[in-house]
Amino acid sequence: MTVFQENDQIVLITDKGNRYFLTLRNKRRYHTNEGSFDAGDIIGKDEGTEITSNIGRKAVIFRPLILEYLLEMPRKTQITYPKDIGFLVASTGVGPGSRVVEGGTGSGVLALFLAWYVRPNGKVYSYDIDDEYFPAIRRHIAILGLSDVIELKKGDLASSVEEKEVDVFIADVPEPWRTIESAYNSLRPGGVFAAIMPTIEQLIRTSETLRSNGFLEYFSGEIMFRPWRVKEGMTRPHHKMRAHTVFIILGRKTGIKDVALWQLKLPDGYR
């Protein structure tokens, strides 16, 4: 990776742990609660370089990780949290070259994250019945260099999906059970259906519909995330943790019409 240049996106992290997300502009000063930082001290430098504010506060500069970038995005809708996205990516097998249908798009965080993983020759087709946020999402698509990887489509995930033989189908909508027939028609044999939802009632109905429509249920549950503060003699969990956010259900497409009575034991690592 080359040194920082004008127009690059950076994350500046101070010795107090604060993050500042900046776009480099020549001759610009960036004002923070910990003093101001000069773009001239950053342009031409490598990642990991230490810089100093005008009041002596130390900071280090990096290119943002995809996770940092997406969490910093302005958003007006609820997002899928990193712990849930990570599990979805790992458990659905999404990777370079994968073709994925997902929706609703919302603020675009999940669609952008998936596109980052299927690049350079995969494709994400993201559906939403409301295209209000599409212009803002397209700006982020361009910044991340994902214009050839993600396609935003206005339509109902339950009735408007045109793609066939896709690898993964992810539903983040209020009634995910309505999308299961659409997912079955869109997925390749053995393809993975995933849905995320906040309530147990949604989970139960989705599970019942999934198993009676040709999908073998792989997983139903939730992911917990608990960060720790590490310091000799004072190591302890943080006072806040990200506990329940959503339930996740996974299923794989079979050639069997009804697998409602089938059972699948969880593999080691899931239990």
Side-chain angles (χ1 to χ4, degrees):
M1 186 68 74
T2 58
V3 297
F4 287 114
Q5 300 176 4
E6 189 172 10
N7 298 319
D8 279 353
Q9 304 282 321
I10 73 162
V11 56
L12 183 153
I13 305 176
T14 68
D15 56 1
K16 293 295 184 182
N18 295 312
R19 284 177 167 83
Y20 300 96
F21 293 84
L22 312 171
T23 301
L24 290 179
R25 299 283 189 264
N26 196 26
K27 299 181 180 179
R28 179 172 294 183
R29 293 193 68 83
Y30 301 95
H31 298 275
T32 74
N33 293 332
E34 298 169 83
S36 61
F37 295 89
D38 193 332
D41 294 333
I42 303 172
I43 294 174
K45 299 295 196 310
D46 288 316
E47 287 193 82
T49 297
E50 180 182 279
I51 61 172
T52 306
S53 75
N54 66 324
I55 60 172
R57 181 68 69 201
K58 294 180 180 180
V60 64
I61 48 176
F62 299 109
R63 287 181 172 82
L65 300 172
I66 183 63
L67 185 61
E68 290 176 308
Y69 180 88
L70 294 180
L71 291 178
E72 186 63 18
M73 280 173 45
R75 52 187 182 267
K76 296 183 179 179
T77 63
Q78 181 62 274
I79 68 165
T80 308
Y81 283 93
K83 66 183 180 69
D84 302 313
I85 293 176
F87 181 79
L88 284 170
V89 170
S91 57
T92 60
V94 166
S98 296
R99 297 177 66 241
V100 182
V101 167
E102 76 91 31
T105 310
S107 294
V109 169
L110 179 57
L112 288 164
F113 205 103
L114 291 168
W116 187 262
Y117 274 87
V118 306
R119 64 191 175 129
N121 55 345
K123 193 80 172 183
V124 173
Y125 306 91
S126 184
Y127 284 81
D128 204 299
I129 57 174
D130 186 351
D131 60 0
E132 176 184 358
Y133 302 116
F134 282 11
I137 296 169
R138 287 192 178 100
R139 288 195 290 272
H140 293 292
I141 289 172
I143 290 171
L144 293 170
L146 298 173
S147 298
D148 294 332
V149 184
I150 184 169
E151 183 176 346
L152 303 178
K153 307 184 75 168
K154 184 176 181 180
D156 189 339
L157 198 63
S159 59
S160 303
V161 175
E162 302 170 320
E163 290 71 33
K164 303 296 182 184
E165 297 292 309
V166 302
D167 301 295
V168 178
F169 188 111
I170 301 177
D172 180 10
V173 293
E175 297 179 336
W177 56 88
R178 290 183 57 249
T179 70
I180 289 173
E181 182 179 353
S182 175
Y184 194 90
N185 293 331
S186 181
L187 284 164
R188 63 168 174 79
V192 180
F193 171 86
I196 55 180
M197 62 219 76
T199 72
I200 191 67
E201 291 80 8
Q202 291 170 303
L203 178 66
I204 293 169
R205 187 162 181 181
T206 303
S207 174
E208 292 174 345
T209 307
L210 192 71
R211 289 183 282 115
S212 61
N213 284 274
F215 285 92
L216 183 62
E217 187 173 325
Y218 254 47
F219 174 83
S220 291
E222 58 185 338
I223 310 301
M224 305 292 186
F225 181 80
R226 188 183 190 186
W228 281 62
R229 179 181 182 271
V230 180
K231 187 175 182 180
E232 187 174 0
M234 299 174 62
T235 297
R236 57 172 173 75
H238 278 276
H239 293 305
K240 294 182 180 180
M241 70 174 286
R242 188 68 66 184
H244 175 75
T245 48
V246 294
F247 292 106
I248 298 175
I249 187 168
L250 304 170
R252 294 195 72 176
K253 178 179 175 178
T254 75
I256 308 167
K257 183 177 181 180
D258 189 342
V259 292
L261 298 180
W262 286 52
Q263 295 181 353
L264 184 70
K265 294 182 179 178
L266 291 174
D268 290 342
Y270 276 61
R271 54 187 169 92

